[in-house]
Every structure is written in structure tokens, then in C-alpha cells.
Amino acid sequence: MGFRVSTTSSYLLFQRVLGLSNQRVLKSSEQLASGKRINRPSDDPEAVKTIASFRNSMGRIDQYLRNLQSADRHWTQAEQAINRVNEAMVRARELAIQGNNGTLGNEQRKMIAEEVHQLAQELLSAANTQINGEFIFGGYRTNQKPFELDPNYPDADPAAVFLGDSNLKRIEINEGQTLEIQMQGDRIFSGAGGGDRVDLFQTLARLEQALRTGNTDDNDPESIGQAIEDLGSALTQVQSDLASIGSRTRRIETTRDALVFQRDLIRQFISEKEDVDLAEATYEFQRAQLALQATVSSAGAVLNMPSLMDFIR
Amino acid sequence: MTIGGLSSLFSRALDGLNVSSRGMSTVANNIANVNTPGYARQELLQATRGVFGNGVLGGGVTAFGVRSLVDPFIERQLANEKSHLGSFAGRKSSLSQLENILSNQDGAGVGTVINSFFNSWSELSNDPSSGVLRQSLLERGVDIVSHFHNKHAQVQDLRRGLSDSIEAQVDKVNSLSQEIARINDLVRRAADESAKLELKAQRNVVLSQLSEEIGVNYFNNSDETITVQINGTGMALVTGIKSSTLSATNDLSDNGQLSLFVQLPGGTSTVNVTDFVSSGSLGGKLKDRNGVLNESLQKLNELAFEFSQQLNAIHRNGYGLDGDDDRNFFSPLAGVSGAAKNIQIDNQILNNLNAIAAAGSDPNVTGVADNENALAILSLQNSLTMSGGSVSFAGFFSNHVSSVGISAAQVNRAFESQLNLVNRLEIQRENISGVNMDEEAADLIRYQRAFEGAAKVMSIANQVLDRLMEL
């Protein structure tokens, strides 16, 4: 017996081939419709793992960026507060130089002293700056005013009390990196931290006292002239504090730039792994369609081939 | 020619008519069965009758039987490959459902909720005394809990569905085994050859159905019955005219197995065959039921346990806004087993947002902005906390999702290539045993012509006899 082909064989063959062609059309139309090359883990299990870890990083970067925004708000607020301090101290020095003039009468000095008293209030308000109801210079004690003037101001030592603590709140701004978003209030305003730090309240209090007593003897430690000298070192201190804020905001900027760059890179990676190449997918879809059409028409032709049965009368 | 030969003319013509009409009915039977699954084309066997005297004259023609055109090698191969195909088909559907459950649309699943939870801690570290942020952190915690509950329930549902379908298949295997035993009995007692042929063809169809359910091995006995065994074991499903009973027990606990047992005919004890049933759609489903589905439950449990355990350990070190420490965030779990189902936010946290421990020391002493414990908890997010310190929480689960994806992809590929193999074997089988309409048409004409010829002989013999009578 030679090689024979049964009638069912061609049906079986075309059934399978049609099934495969249909699958190809379905697969490429799914990719076109979803815009994704990967629609379930089995489409590319390794890539799915990578994409999951990329998405994980993206989620963290988004959070770091939110934290950086909050850090930025804190530092901007701190910078504004210390700028106010700077202006107050500059004005205090002007007033002091004015008041040190020997030709001035006691009444005029008292008026100047009154203005210096107002500057102490300005300093206090800057030291008690809030952001969203939190006092920014009080360390962890953000819910209470960190500074209070002594009731006997300016005749008290210390002139103002610090009620905060020396802890600094830190937040996470990058993988394993934290940034403090506070400055130590007692260091900035009360001369804590040793070295040649100056107590700003005390400096203003002494100036006020010297103005009220009219002490213009430059050699006397309680004179206006001495207060002017103290104000000079206070200004140097305030300006160096402003500079140190600048270094923080620069760190925020560079970290943000790096994170945004990283995020764009990751987005691109995910897209490369996951997204469908539209031109290629369209081409593949058309090819699959064409193959299906060819199969269908050849199946039609083969399965309708004339049979001997047609010729039996 | 002797006059006696004249009467034999009639009987030979009658032989011819008989054999041709049987030939035509064989053809008719083939045509009728052109689409019958497993049908093997039949051929009429005919031979000349014994001869008279010196062997000059043939004694007519006789049809002595019908034979089926079957290649036992291909039949056996086909049954075997079909049972592998069944195994892949069974696994294909359960694995694709599992990968849909485990990976959300974004392919991340549980990793995403865990990361949102940590992000909420990071958010809280900005402003530890904020009630709004505490509330939102609690909600992310609840998301994690319900995610674990949902995934656990979904995987369990899938497993239950699979178990039900395995149990239904066990019943089907039993009824197919009984059917084979019944046909065996009929074959044994059948009187004539063609009845036997028909019964054997029937038996082959049932056997092929059985082998799609469960991989089997079979051999012929001397009384033409067959013995059917579970592939790879000597465990018989059918011995001659008796069938064994397959039964299943389903352990519903998270790491519980579905086990299969065989009770031999007349026996009282059962034998566990779970580890031997590996092919057929039953074998495929059993493999996933006891394998990857249990593994997924286990992974969910491990993750839920470790996550709650490690989070609690750090959480207990911290202080709430109310100044108390040593409180759990999640209710402590007894162990890995059932953790994904039992994980809960601790009541102390649910009832009191201020119990969330963001501070490293008592905030009533140090201050409400203390966020040191929130930062400590944050450090868990990327720590290699799982699998003996080799992978993070999120990484642990995405590894599992990926490994399910790998299995699913493998099974999909294996299914397709197995389908090709079975398709080729079926075509090969059809080319040997299938019906070809052209061939049948030719045979039909052939037998028709033979019939017409025999009828002509009959009519001529009649004319000859008439002429003789006129004398």
C-alpha cells in the first residue's frame, strides 16, 4: 500500500494551523490594544521582575521628591526668619551708632532705646516662626513657643529663655540619606554651642540698657560703644548662619535634580521593557492577519477539492 | 461443463452477490464513520472457496471477515502523548489564573501596597504629630492587611476550584475504568470476530479518553481483555473484567495536599498513588494543586508573618504621641501558617491613632516632632529582610510572581509544542486508519461492478436454464 492520506488529515492539519494563526492575530492585537508588550508575567517573567523593582524605585523617588519639597519649605521659611533677624540687627547697629553720639540728649536716647525694644520683639517673632503651626526653631518641641522674653527684660540675664531642645528633625531625601530640616534655635538666638557664639537677645538687651543709661564711655563694658562691637560680631554670626542655609538649599537642589534624572531614566527603562513598539506591532499584526487570510483561503481550496464521490451518478 | 455445473452457476453468482453487497456495506460503514473519533477503516476479507476435483474450477467466493487498519505503535504513542497534552492543558489554565491573581495589572501586586505603606511612614516623618498623616498611614496599613486577605482567599479559591475539578476527574476515571472492564467482559464473551472488532474499537476510544485524564500504560491479556495501569506504577485501574477505585482526600489547610488512593478490586486497603500520577490532565492539575498553589500560599504567609514581625519589633521600640511605648502595629501572629489570612492591625492602633509610634523617645519629654522611630521603620523598606537576608519584602514577592510567570511560560510553550506533536500523530494515525472518501468511492464502484457482474451471471444462468427447459 502506497502513502495514503485520509480525508480527516487535512481537516486536522488546517484546524491546527488556523488555531496558530488565530493565536498570532490575537496576541498582536492584544499588544496593540494595551500598548504593552507584557500583559501578564508569563509574557516575559524576567522583565516583570525588573519592572516591579523599577516601579518600586519610582514610588520611593516620588516620596523622596515630596520630602524634598517639604525640606525646601522648611529651609525657605528658616531663611526668611533669619533674614528678618539680619535686618533687625543691622537696624540696631544704625540706632546704636546714632545713640552713641555724645551730643544727643537723654530723651532722644530713650526714644532710640524704645525702638531697640521693638527690634527685640521683632527678633522674638522671628525666633518663634511657624510653618503649618510648627515652631521651626524649637527642635522636637514644635508645639510650643521656643523663646520667651524674661518679664524683666532688658534687665535680666539671660534676657530670653529657650524652651525648645537641641534635637533636629531629619527626613529621608534619598536612598539611605537623611537631611535635617531644622536649625538649632538656642545656637542661632541664644549663643549656645560655645566658641564665639553671641546671644542676640542679650546683645539687644545690653544695647537698650546702655541707651537708657546713656553710657557713651567706650571703655566701659556696659557702654553703647561696647554694644556696637557686640552687634558687629552678632551680624557676622547671623550672616554665616544664612550662608549655612544656602549650603542646605543647594544640597536640596542637587538631590532633586539627581532624583528627577533618575526617575526619567527609570521611566524610560520601564517603557523600553514594557511598552510595545507601535510600528513593529502594527507590522506584526498585519503579517499575522495576512497569514490567517492565506491559511483560510488555502484551507477553503484544499477542503473543497473535487472528490470521486462527485462523479458517482 | 457438466449439467451439475449449471446449478453451481447459481450458487457462485449468489456468492458474488453476497460478497459484493457485504463489500458495499463495509464501504457504507466506513463512509458513515468518516468523522468518528478513533474509528479505524475496515476492509472486507474475501477468498475463493475450496475447489472441486482436480482443482480446475473454483468453488465460488466467501467473505471470511473484516479487518481494521490499525497501527498499534502509533495508537499507543498517541495515547501517551495525549496524556501529556492533557497534563499541560490542565496546568495552563491554573497557572494563567494564578499569575493573574498574583500580579495586578502593573505586575507589582503586593509590592505596591507595601511601598505605599512605607511612603506613608516617610510622609509621617515630615510631621509626626499630624492626625491626618496618621490616619492615612493607618489606611495604608489596612490596605496591606486586606491585600494579604484577598490574595490568600483568591489563591485558596483557585486551589479549591482545582481540587473540585480533580475530584470530578477522579469520578470520571472510575467510570471510564468500569467501562473498559465492562467492554473487556463483552470482548471475552463475543461470539464472532466482527463483533469483537467493534468492541475493541469502542474500547480504544474509552482508553484514549482515559489516558487524557490520567497517564496509563496497558497490555493485552490472553483472553483479549486488557489490563490498564497508572503510568509508572504497577497499580492497575483495570484488570480483565474488574476495575479498581480511585479516590481523593483533600486537606484544606494552607500546606495541605490533595492525595489520590487506589483500591484494587476486591481489596479492602488503599494505596497512596499521589506521587505517581504525573501525566494526564489529572496529573497536571494535581501537580499545580500540591505544588505552585501551596507554594503561593506559603509565600504569602511567609511575607505576612515576616513583615508584621519585623515591623512590630521596631514599632515596639518607639513611642506614640501619648507617650507610651512597647505596642505592636500588627496583632502578633502565632506563626507562618495562616499568617496571610490572620494578619490584622493591632486594636491598640485601630482605636488610637496616637499609638502609632513615630517617636524614638517620649514626645511629651523630647517633643512632638520626634520622628526617629518612623525613620527606623523606613529603613526596613529596602533592607534585605527576607529569605535569610537576601531580598527585600517587595523583592521577595516579585521573585515569586516571576517564578510563577516562568512556569506559566514554560507550560504554555510545552502545551503548544505538545499540541503540534499530537496533531502530527493524529494525522499519521488518520493516514493509516482514517477513511479516505476517494478510496471509498472507488471501492464502492468496484463492488457495484462486481455485484452487477454476478447479477449478469445469474440472469444468463437463468436464460441458459430456460433454453434447456424448452428442449
Side-chain angles (χ1 to χ4, degrees), chain A residues 5-266:
Chain A
V5 176
S6 87
T7 307
T8 323
S9 317
S10 24
Y11 285 104
L12 284 173
L13 185 68
F14 280 117
Q15 206 177 29
R16 174 71 186 137
V17 175
L18 276 173
L20 284 174
S21 302
N22 270 320
Q23 258 177 35
R24 265 182 69 194
V25 171
L26 196 71
K27 179 109 196 150
S28 57
S29 67
E30 183 190 33
Q31 291 190 339
L32 275 178
S34 67
K36 301 227 176 297
R37 191 176 65 83
I38 300 172
N39 291 293
R40 57 192 67 73
S42 54
D43 287 343
D44 191 344
E46 275 309 308
V48 162
K49 193 157 79 177
T50 319
I51 290 170
S53 121
F54 278 157
R55 280 195 197 287
N56 182 358
S57 306
M58 283 264 278
R60 281 202 307 274
I61 288 175
D62 284 342
Q63 183 61 45
Y64 294 146
L65 288 173
R66 276 198 294 279
N67 288 355
L68 278 173
Q69 229 167 30
S70 148
D72 197 29
R73 272 198 308 275
H74 273 84
W75 283 113
T76 309
Q77 198 76 13
E79 194 175 20
Q80 277 170 9
I82 295 180
N83 265 327
R84 278 169 70 192
V85 173
N86 189 41
E87 278 162 27
M89 299 314 269
V90 167
R91 178 69 186 144
R93 198 168 59 162
E94 282 169 16
L95 291 172
I97 291 167
Q98 214 181 320
N100 204 21
N101 190 337
T103 62
L104 231 53
N106 277 346
E107 276 311 302
Q108 284 165 309
R109 283 208 184 85
K110 270 189 188 134
M111 279 171 65
I112 293 173
E114 204 47 49
E115 198 179 338
V116 171
H117 192 84
Q118 291 308 314
L119 287 178
Q121 290 299 330
E122 170 68 8
L123 183 64
L124 181 67
S125 140
N128 285 336
T129 295
Q130 298 180 53
I131 178 166
N132 295 334
E134 282 181 47
F135 294 96
I136 63 173
F137 292 113
Y140 282 172
R141 298 188 186 150
T142 51
N143 55 348
Q144 63 181 38
K145 281 188 182 172
F147 291 96
E148 266 174 28
L149 286 186
D150 191 281
N152 292 325
Y153 184 91
D155 302 325
D157 191 10
V161 284
F162 177 62
L163 301 168
D165 64 24
S166 56
N167 290 308
L168 294 180
K169 188 161 79 169
R170 312 175 72 88
I171 55 178
E172 207 179 9
I173 55 159
N174 204 346
E175 209 72 61
Q177 286 179 33
T178 56
L179 176 76
E180 67 273 22
I181 56 171
Q182 289 181 325
M183 294 179 101
Q184 230 174 294
D186 53 351
R187 199 174 134 83
I188 293 170
F189 296 97
S190 310
D196 44 10
R197 302 287 306 181
V198 182
D199 183 335
L200 303 184
F201 288 107
Q202 204 66 41
T203 308
L204 285 184
R206 280 216 210 91
L207 174 61
E208 193 181 333
Q209 280 173 323
L211 284 168
R212 288 195 195 281
T213 52
N215 187 339
T216 51
D217 176 2
D218 285 352
N219 295 323
D220 189 332
E222 286 176 9
S223 68
I224 301 175
Q226 188 61 47
I228 291 173
E229 230 167 84
D230 289 350
L231 275 169
S233 25
L235 271 168
T236 317
Q237 170 180 319
V238 168
Q239 271 148 18
S240 97
D241 286 342
L242 270 176
S244 83
I245 293 181
S247 78
R248 257 58 160 264
T249 41
R250 270 195 302 284
R251 182 162 169 215
I252 290 174
E253 281 306 319
T254 51
T255 311
R256 183 173 20 227
D257 289 350
L259 285 174
V260 167
F261 180 72
Q262 206 182 338
R263 189 181 59 181
D264 292 347
L265 214 57
I266 289 176

Side-chain angles (χ1 to χ4, degrees), chain A residues 5 16 140 165 169 175, chain B residues 99 126 366 372 382 420 436:
Chain A
V5 176
R16 174 71 186 137
Y140 282 172
D165 64 24
K169 188 161 79 169
E175 209 72 61
Chain B
E99 62 172 343
N126 281 296
T366 53
E372 285 168 19
N382 287 323
N420 282 338
N436 177 314

